[in-house]
Amino acid sequence: MVRVSSKILALVVGVLPQLIQGSGLHTAAVAKGKLYFGSATDNSELTDTAYLTQLNNTDDFGQITPGNSQKWDTIEPTQNQFSYTKGDVIANLAKANDQKLRCHTLVWHSQLPSWVSSGTWTNATLIAAMKNHITNVVTHYKGDCYAWDVVNEALNEDGSYRDSIFYQTIGPAYIPIAFAAAAAADPDVKLYYNDYNIESSGSKAMAAQNIVKLVQSYGAKIDGVGLQAHFIVGSTPSQSSQASVLSAYAALGVEIAYTELDIRMTLPSTDALLAQQKTDYTNTVAACVAEKSCIGITIWDWTDKYSWVPNTFSGQGAACPWDENYAKKPAYTGILSALGGTATTTTTSAGQSTTSSTSTTSSSGGSTTGIARWGQCGGSGWTGGTTCASGYTCTYFNDYYSQCL
């Protein structure tokens, strides 16, 4: 890395808005023929400038999922009174970044307002309320969402139906009714069934396949199955096990996506656990890469700082590819390698460890081998690549900014 004078720095200030970052997870995923690699987020996190800077890094994240701001209790806390403020913030962020938006979620047994969960319903009145909610929400976000998780977590672990207010009152027909209502409100959006522990063969995965068949038997539209993939280090299904069930979903004529991927461990974190976590992430991403119908992967937030795991599973955490200080963990390199990319770690003049990434395209494309001229290649808090394309040098301006010149 070389240093330049303030005069040269002044000459290039005009090109700073056009900076091109080094290739990352999303870039590598697209090169492998996938639609996206993305992350969930929540409104409270967006006040963290360093967090937001990385979330806006479209080389790593080409898609965003609102973690909570599109759920029923947030959007329709009182019957037929809708509030889209929080959801719109994330939808607008994705739109500004040209990132795909996976919308989440329309019908779920949890995070319901009390007027739904504790209401006195008949079959007809609850169907009407459910359809009204779906119609209003999907219509509001029409054109913004790549996909909707229409029904979320309808199954128990043994594959039986969860005894939710919807199942109690309407029976299993609530599922195809919900899909039909969503399709009527936005015929173009992809419609998903989403659940956890359906990523490898077993009674629950079979029941998820039967939900696809149920919706299809009603003549309703269903486009995909979302595999939440909340895994545990060392207990994550093997690549072959995941590949087998991905093929089973694909055989039903639907696409598949990993929608909430994280891999938690019992704390404290150790080098051995981090190494196993890297392997588990690698195997999961590789299973998606190998299945044509698996179109993308979303991690359930990118940093341990904002992971849901510690507040839900006592004594567990460190589930994300970045740690709580926003440093990339071995899991990041595992994901990137499964996507056909490579990463090398270097140290900047400020003493910080950074990761440089390259990716290899599928047979239909070329290759990315470095950061283009004018691209940022280093600086305090920089999480992108540090290797410039042939003929250019990573040039130091200050501790916060280096550029390929």
Side-chain angles (χ1 to χ4, degrees):
M1 186 177 292
V2 299
R3 296 174 180 266
V4 298
S5 69
S6 58
K7 182 178 180 180
I8 296 176
L9 173 61
L11 290 174
V12 300
V13 165
V15 303
L16 297 185
Q18 303 171 28
L19 297 178
I20 303 171
Q21 298 175 323
S23 61
L25 303 181
H26 174 65
T27 302
V30 171
K32 279 293 186 183
K34 304 304 172 184
L35 289 181
Y36 59 80
F37 190 98
S39 176
T41 192
D42 253 320
N43 296 73
S44 59
E45 301 159 16
L46 302 181
T47 60
D48 182 334
T49 302
Y51 171 90
L52 182 60
T53 297
Q54 172 57 24
L55 185 67
N56 289 342
N57 177 2
T58 55
D59 286 309
D60 274 325
F61 306 127
Q63 173 267 320
I64 295 178
T65 298
N68 289 287
S69 59
Q70 291 179 321
K71 290 175 179 173
W72 200 317
D73 61 347
T74 299
I75 283 186
E76 194 185 4
T78 302
Q79 188 168 11
N80 214 31
Q81 294 183 16
F82 295 87
S83 176
Y84 299 105
T85 302
K86 290 184 176 181
D88 286 355
V89 167
I90 296 176
N92 290 336
L93 175 66
K95 188 180 297 183
N97 291 334
D98 197 26
Q99 294 164 312
K100 292 186 184 299
L101 184 71
R102 286 200 82 260
C103 293
H104 176 80
T105 179
L106 295 169
V107 181
W108 187 31
H109 69 277
S110 187
Q111 290 182 239
L112 289 171
S114 59
W115 70 266
V116 179
S117 60
S118 302
T120 302
W121 301 105
T122 65
N123 180 288
T125 58
L126 185 54
I127 287 175
M130 182 181 72
K131 290 173 68 174
N132 183 64
H133 177 80
I134 292 169
T135 300
N136 277 274
V137 176
V138 175
T139 299
H140 178 83
Y141 288 105
K142 185 175 183 179
D144 292 334
C145 307
Y146 167 76
W148 266 108
D149 290 329
V150 178
V151 175
N152 194 51
E153 299 177 5
L155 297 170
N156 294 314
E157 290 306 294
D158 63 359
S160 60
Y161 284 107
R162 187 185 294 274
D163 194 26
S164 67
I165 187 66
F166 304 103
Y167 182 76
Q168 290 173 10
T169 308
I170 305 169
Y174 85 87
I175 298 174
I177 291 171
F179 275 87
D186 185 352
D188 297 323
V189 72
K190 299 281 190 177
L191 305 180
Y192 273 65
Y193 174 71
N194 193 57
D195 213 328
Y196 61 93
N197 289 350
I198 61 169
E199 302 86 6
S200 58
S201 298
S203 57
K204 195 171 185 181
M206 183 63 71
Q209 293 165 44
N210 287 336
I211 283 179
V212 175
K213 296 174 184 177
L214 174 70
V215 176
Q216 292 171 337
S217 74
Y218 273 70
K221 175 185 173 183
I222 180 168
D223 298 289
V225 176
L227 315 182
Q228 291 185 14
H230 293 299
F231 292 144
I232 301 172
V233 168
S235 298
T236 298
S238 67
Q239 180 180 338
S240 60
S241 178
Q242 294 185 61
S244 176
V245 81
L246 289 176
S247 296
Y249 293 124
L252 299 175
V254 294
E255 63 185 39
I256 313 109
Y258 285 90
T259 56
E260 305 182 19
L261 175 62
D262 53 24
I263 307 180
R264 64 187 185 269
M265 63 180 69
T266 299
L267 300 174
S269 172
T270 65
D271 288 344
L273 286 170
L274 290 171
Q276 182 61 53
Q277 184 184 56
K278 175 183 177 180
T279 297
D280 293 341
Y281 266 108
T282 301
N283 288 340
T284 299
V285 174
C288 181
V289 168
E291 172 54 59
K292 182 178 180 181
S293 295
C294 186
I295 56 91
I297 299 164
T298 306
I299 49 178
W300 206 241
D301 227 318
W302 58 270
T303 168
D304 292 337
K305 182 176 181 179
Y306 295 115
S307 171
W308 70 296
V309 170
N311 291 331
T312 306
F313 300 97
S314 178
Q316 298 185 49
C320 300
W322 282 259
D323 70 17
E324 61 187 11
N325 296 314
Y326 302 159
K328 294 173 182 176
K329 294 154 66 175
Y332 180 96
T333 305
I335 294 169
L336 189 63
S337 65
L339 293 169
T342 59
T344 57
T345 301
T346 58
T347 301
T348 67
S349 60
Q352 292 184 318
S353 176
T354 63
T355 302
S356 170
S357 308
T358 62
S359 62
T360 303
T361 64
S362 60
S363 58
S364 60
S367 64
T368 301
T369 57
I371 301 169
R373 187 184 186 190
W374 311 124
Q376 184 174 359
C377 55
S380 178
W382 172 245
T383 59
T386 59
T387 301
C388 298
S390 177
Y392 303 107
T393 301
C394 190
T395 304
Y396 174 91
F397 292 111
N398 55 49
D399 286 346
Y400 299 95
Y401 183 74
S402 297
Q403 185 180 27
C404 290
L405 294 173

